[in-house]
Amino acid sequence: MRHIDIFNGDADGIISLIQLRLNQPKDSILVTGVKRDNQLMNDFEFKTADQVTVLDISMEKNQAGLKQALDLGAQVEYFDHHRSGDIPQHGNLFAQIDTSADMCTALLVDAKLKGKYRHWAIAAAYGDNLIAKANELAEAEGLNKEQRNQLKELGVLVNYNGYGSSIEDLHFAPAELFNQLRSYHSPFDVISDPNSPFRQLKKAYEQDMSLAKRVSPHYQSSSLKVVILPNSSWARRVSGVLGNELANSDPSRAHLILTKRNSDTSVVSLRSPITKKYGAGDICAKYDTGGGRESSAGINVFPLASLNSLVSDIEGFYCVK
């Protein structure tokens, strides 16, 4: 019997699996990739009697792989907060899906484990830009401001590492980062260890963000700001965390980050206004290769010629709503 752990390569996916494997260590096959590799189940060849854990990838995007696993008799445990589509009714499927705007996969796992690794879950929530929720949990845990800031920084850095068009763009392959971080019982142990990935990611993040902040907005209105980043590895790495930072500093606007793939297409990251945390996933799902969740969504291959249409969709949605 094999155990397969399938997880998104961002902070939410990695930290969700850290909690589960600290609680129940397993020698498993790791299936992951960059953050936008969101159809990981569809590309895996399952076998009868596989034990499968799936974390932080949309069930809607993985229906084919899920069906194959269940048809073969695999047991599947599925935690996620993205659009699910139709959830199969099957005795071998345990699905914990919650698409609420203030929910992430690590918090679903935290609930299953009854808060056993709560500090890790808080770091993941910060990394997924659920700042208010993370602060609420941190205060309930009695964490002081310095400790909250430390968990926030770690979550942001692990999340930052997941962005890129390929593993070569990243500082750590997600499976490698997971294997390094799982050896620490507490996220505070990661931060205090001078040989952990924390310091390398911190230095790289600061360098990339300094480049990103030199880019002037392409367009802005009362409801939307648009930034277009160049076709470069630093831009691909920083696209998601830049969107989060802009959203937090300007909460009444939506923020649209386009990272060029070539002269004709880009990758899109959309953040809803912090004051209106809904609709981002539905807006992006109107476009091929698009999807996501209420407050944060994206389009993997977006024609730049359609930018005016996307801007109109975003402004129309948030101005009306």
Side-chain angles (χ1 to χ4, degrees):
M1 182 176 65
R2 305 184 302 174
H3 195 97
I4 300 105
D5 287 326
I6 303 175
F7 59 103
N8 194 285
D10 69 354
D12 198 20
I14 289 173
I15 293 176
S16 293
L17 187 56
I18 288 171
Q19 293 178 86
L20 288 173
R21 295 297 154 253
L22 286 173
N23 184 66
Q24 188 177 13
K26 291 185 179 181
D27 182 14
S28 61
I29 298 168
L30 301 180
V31 181
T32 187
V34 300
K35 180 178 175 65
R36 288 180 183 272
D37 282 346
N38 59 3
Q39 298 185 39
L40 296 167
M41 285 199 84
N42 297 340
D43 299 327
F44 191 82
E45 292 296 324
F46 295 99
K47 295 181 180 179
T48 301
D50 281 346
Q51 302 289 307
V52 185
T53 300
V54 187
L55 299 161
D56 200 41
I57 58 172
S58 167
M59 186 181 287
E60 184 178 58
K61 300 283 188 181
N62 287 271
Q63 290 283 348
L66 178 58
K67 183 178 187 302
Q68 181 204 30
L70 294 173
D71 286 349
L72 287 169
Q75 300 276 341
V76 181
E77 188 174 35
Y78 208 121
F79 296 88
D80 189 46
H81 65 132
H82 300 91
R83 292 161 58 103
S84 64
D86 293 331
I87 301 175
Q89 301 301 306
H90 196 289
N92 284 3
L93 174 64
F94 170 82
Q96 186 65 41
I97 309 293
D98 187 338
T99 61
S100 304
D102 289 324
M103 180 57 65
C104 66
T105 304
L107 293 180
L108 294 173
V109 172
D110 176 70
K112 174 184 171 64
L113 300 180
K114 297 180 170 55
K116 189 173 181 180
Y117 303 100
R118 177 64 51 81
H119 293 170
W120 275 113
I122 292 169
Y126 278 126
D128 220 31
N129 207 38
L130 301 180
I131 306 301
K133 182 65 175 180
N135 282 337
E136 174 190 325
L137 292 171
E139 289 172 10
E141 286 289 295
L143 299 179
N144 60 37
K145 184 175 181 180
E146 179 184 4
Q147 290 171 317
R148 294 198 299 270
N149 287 337
Q150 288 176 327
L151 292 183
K152 181 179 179 181
E153 185 172 28
L154 178 62
V156 168
L157 292 176
V158 176
N159 205 49
Y160 152 77
N161 182 75
Y163 282 86
S165 62
S166 66
I167 297 296
E168 289 69 31
D169 280 337
L170 311 186
H171 299 291
F172 294 90
E176 176 192 356
L177 186 57
F178 162 74
N179 278 323
Q180 290 199 39
L181 295 179
R182 73 184 297 189
S183 65
Y184 297 91
H185 183 80
S186 164
F188 293 112
D189 296 334
V190 181
I191 295 164
S192 64
D193 181 359
N195 297 313
S196 80
F198 177 78
R199 281 165 177 75
Q200 182 178 338
L201 288 174
K202 178 180 173 69
K203 181 179 179 180
Y205 173 84
E206 290 171 350
Q207 291 172 341
D208 286 351
M209 285 297 286
S210 69
L211 293 172
K213 289 178 179 179
R214 299 176 192 173
V215 179
S216 299
H218 173 76
Y219 168 84
Q220 64 181 25
S221 66
S222 61
S223 57
L224 174 66
K225 180 181 287 185
V226 180
V227 176
I228 300 179
L229 299 176
N231 179 11
S232 63
S233 56
W234 71 261
R236 291 188 289 273
R237 286 193 298 265
V238 85
S239 59
V241 289
L242 176 64
N244 290 342
E245 181 167 309
L246 291 174
N248 292 329
S249 64
D250 189 2
S252 64
R253 280 193 180 105
H255 289 84
L256 181 66
I257 311 296
L258 297 97
T259 308
K260 289 186 177 181
R261 301 173 73 251
N262 51 46
S263 60
D264 298 319
T265 62
S266 70
V267 177
V268 165
S269 291
L270 174 63
R271 300 293 182 267
S272 71
I274 297 294
T275 56
K276 300 177 180 179
K277 295 180 70 172
Y278 50 80
D282 290 337
I283 292 170
C284 288
K286 292 174 58 178
Y287 296 83
D288 289 343
T289 74
R293 52 194 174 89
E294 291 288 353
S295 60
S296 175
I299 305 169
N300 287 345
V301 182
F302 178 75
L304 288 166
S306 299
L307 177 56
N308 288 344
S309 174
L310 179 56
V311 166
S312 179
D313 285 343
I314 297 168
E315 290 190 317
F317 185 89
Y318 291 114
C319 283
V320 172
K321 301 287 183 177

